[in-house]
């Protein structure tokens, strides 16, 4: 496995253009199956999760090409509705294929998906929604078979505003007969991006961004050209890294409205933030202040995907902060790794109490999941001395060459492949 080696203590400085959003691109790639023909999608980052999704689509009979930031996806020859188990194990977002495959082929066979080990993430809400649309579902072990001659519109209420369930139901309902009303829907920007994409294909979807989405089923969708929104979590990660290293960074291709909760938290910590159109400027020359209480919750509240990164910043703050994780029960594994670097954090169930320290120190740490890995990179950038981050493949699931991104901002960060590591540690 690759490792990142970071020589810390250097403020980030410069300008960066933010990549397209992984969490918008994945369901949109899946939704392309709903129309026969070639769809062109722009601002698609080169990530492990994206490549897994494209490999699944190829296995289903599609022709997919990813050049630069553009994906061309020809679904004309798609003739399979069985998603291979070995590919589903690699990525949780593969579950997005259930809705489109069921809508197009009338059946699909999938398996319980894989992904980061950050706690229990059941797919019950996905299955309940598809059943209400008329699907017959059979579960045998970890295999799930769904069948429906044609889906029927329905009134669906989600017990929890699950992003994945909302997107799967939207994609299935666009070709269903009649109207579907989805209440207590997730409100994330990625939901709004999926609505725009489906409507560009000829769907009739309204209400994304609110808790009620209405879908009028249509007979057919057509391929289109589309550009993915900027990645708000990558944007937030770079913003926090700039603040933690007491640097000055200008971020282009952002949507500040998608990051209102983070901007509010950073300003409470005394970090100056300036927004201008699609540009965000972060500058901080002094130690941040503690933030009394932050709790993660579904959008538009503070995102769980930025919890670990902000915890690094708070571990360097003046005073005691509290971070409560309410979305995933297994998302505090990075605390032990940060403690290796000198952070003073106490965990009580799903709450972390962070007593700020003057500085962190370099250490060898392990990325336990995607966002925890990003947090450890930030810690390494801010720390005194050398930090080695292992299990970098987790980070590669959501950040396109994170070392190149940060090097462009003046960081001293290098990736070492397995053989190079042997040479590196022999020095």
């Amino acid at each position: 496995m690759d490792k990142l080696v970071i020589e810390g203590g250097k403020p980030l400085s410069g300008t960066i253009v933010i990549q397209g959003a992984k969490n918008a691109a994945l369901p949109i790639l899946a939704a392309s199956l709903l129309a026969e023909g070639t769809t062109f999608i722009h601002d698609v980052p080169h990530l492990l999760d994206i490549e897994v999704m494209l490999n699944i689509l190829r296995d289903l009979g599609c022709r997919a090409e990813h050049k630069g930031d553009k994906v061309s996806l020809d679904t004309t020859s798609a003739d399979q509705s069985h998603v291979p188990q070995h590919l589903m194990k690699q990525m949780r977002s593969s579950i997005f294929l259930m809705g489109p495959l069921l809508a197009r082929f009338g059946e699909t066979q999938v398996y319980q998906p894989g992904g980061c080990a950050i706690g229990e993430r059941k797919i019950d809400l996905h299955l309940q929604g598809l059943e209400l649309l008329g699907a017959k579902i059979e579960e045998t072990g970890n295999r799930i078979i769904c069948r429906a001659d044609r889906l029927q519109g329905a009134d669906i209420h989600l017990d929890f505003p699950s992003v994945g369930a909302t997107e799967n139901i939207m994609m299935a309902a666009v070709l269903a007969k009649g109207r579907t009303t989805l209440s207590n829907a997730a409100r994330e920007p990625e939901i709004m991006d999926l609505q725009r994409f489906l409507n560009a294909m000829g769907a009739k979807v309204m209400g994304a961004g609110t808790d009620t989405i209405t879908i009028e089923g249509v007979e057919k969708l057509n391929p289109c050209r589309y550009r993915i929104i900027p990645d708000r979590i990558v944007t937030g990660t770079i913003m926090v890294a700039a603040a933690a290293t007491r640097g000055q960074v200008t971020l282009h291709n952002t949507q500040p409205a998608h990051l209102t909760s983070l901007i509010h938290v950073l300003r409470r910590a005394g970090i100056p933030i300036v927004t201008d159109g699609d540009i965000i400027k972060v500058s901080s020359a002094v130690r941040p202040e503690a933030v009394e209480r932050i709790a993660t919750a579904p959008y538009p509240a503070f995102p769980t995907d930025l919890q670990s990164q902000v915890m690094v910043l708070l571990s360097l703050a003046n005073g005691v902060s509290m971070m409560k994780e309410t979305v995933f029960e297994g998302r505090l594994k990075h605390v032990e790794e940060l403690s290796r670097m000198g952070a003073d954090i106490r965990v009580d169930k799903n709450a972390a109490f962070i007593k700020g320290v003057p500085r962190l120190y370099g250490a060898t740490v392990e990325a336990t999941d995607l966002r925890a890995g990003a947090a450890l990179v930030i810690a390494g950038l801010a720390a005194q001395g050398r930090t080695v981050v292992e299990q970098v493949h987790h980070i590669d699931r959501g950040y396109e060459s994170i070392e190149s991104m940060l090097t462009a901002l003046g960081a001293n960060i290098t990736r070492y492949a397995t053989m190079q590591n042997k040479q590196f540690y022999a020095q």
Side-chain angles (χ1 to χ4, degrees), residues 45-357:
H46 286 268
L47 305 170
L48 286 181
D49 278 10
I50 296 292
E51 294 312 307
V52 171
M53 179 63 81
L54 292 176
N55 285 336
I56 293 174
L57 291 167
R58 292 182 184 110
D59 198 87
L60 296 174
C62 300
R63 298 178 61 185
E65 188 174 64
H66 193 178
K67 284 189 175 181
D69 72 347
K70 184 177 76 174
V71 167
S72 58
L73 185 61
D74 184 355
T75 67
T76 307
S77 56
D79 58 359
Q80 297 290 324
S81 61
H82 178 182
V83 182
Q85 183 175 11
H86 72 280
L87 289 174
M88 287 207 73
K89 279 184 175 180
Q90 297 179 33
M91 180 184 63
R92 179 174 178 79
S93 297
S94 54
I95 201 68
F96 289 137
L97 290 157
M98 290 181 67
L101 288 172
L102 188 60
R104 177 162 174 178
F105 295 110
E107 65 176 12
T108 183
Q109 179 175 309
V110 298
Y111 301 85
Q112 290 284 348
C116 278
I118 56 175
E120 193 172 31
R121 298 193 287 180
K122 295 181 179 179
I123 63 168
D124 294 7
L125 297 177
H126 299 247
L127 301 181
Q128 290 168 12
L130 295 177
E131 278 188 313
L132 288 170
L133 291 171
K136 303 297 182 184
I137 298 175
E138 175 187 338
E139 295 185 67
T140 306
N142 68 340
R143 184 177 65 175
I144 304 166
I145 300 173
C146 303
R147 295 187 178 91
D149 292 335
R150 184 177 182 188
L151 298 172
Q152 301 285 326
D155 291 334
I156 302 172
H157 177 83
L158 295 178
D159 293 335
F160 177 83
S162 160
V163 174
T166 298
E167 292 173 331
N168 231 337
I169 293 165
M170 287 170 65
M171 290 186 280
V174 290
L175 292 178
K177 184 178 181 181
R179 171 181 291 185
T180 296
T181 301
L182 179 58
S183 59
N184 199 31
R187 299 164 59 186
E188 274 72 2
E190 294 78 17
I191 304 286
M192 293 183 271
D193 211 32
L194 178 60
Q195 173 180 279
R196 285 189 290 267
F197 176 72
L198 292 171
N199 288 345
M201 298 171 77
K204 296 180 179 179
V205 186
M206 298 173 290
T210 74
D211 62 2
T212 302
I213 298 174
T214 304
I215 305 117
E216 295 284 354
V218 297
E219 291 291 331
K220 182 182 178 183
L221 296 177
N222 300 301
C224 67
R225 289 182 178 270
Y226 194 75
R227 184 172 298 276
I228 301 294
I229 58 172
D231 196 308
R232 62 192 172 100
I233 305 302
V234 172
T235 304
T237 299
I238 298 298
M239 291 171 67
V240 174
T245 61
R246 303 186 189 180
Q248 293 185 328
V249 174
T250 301
L251 301 89
H252 291 259
N253 189 39
T254 74
Q255 292 204 10
H258 295 170
L259 288 156
T260 302
S261 61
L262 173 66
I263 291 171
H264 176 63
V265 165
L266 292 180
R267 285 176 173 161
R268 286 168 62 195
I271 309 299
I273 308 288
V274 177
T275 64
D276 182 11
D278 73 340
I279 298 173
I280 299 175
K281 295 181 180 180
V282 182
S283 60
S284 180
V286 298
R287 187 180 183 186
E289 294 298 320
V291 178
E292 183 178 350
R293 186 181 188 276
I294 306 169
T296 66
Y299 188 87
F302 189 84
T304 181
D305 279 354
L306 287 173
Q307 173 256 108
S308 56
Q309 298 93 311
V310 169
M311 192 178 294
V312 175
L313 180 68
L314 297 178
S315 73
L316 293 164
N318 179 32
V320 178
S321 307
M322 192 270 274
M323 177 78 77
K324 186 174 183 181
E325 173 60 53
T326 72
V327 180
F328 294 121
E329 74 278 5
R331 205 155 209 181
L332 293 174
K333 295 178 181 178
H334 52 280
V335 170
E336 182 177 346
E337 302 301 305
L338 289 176
S339 297
R340 298 179 195 275
M341 302 180 71
D344 186 352
I345 305 172
R346 179 174 61 86
V347 173
D348 182 10
K349 296 181 180 178
N350 65 337
F353 298 86
I354 308 126
K355 183 179 180 181
V357 295

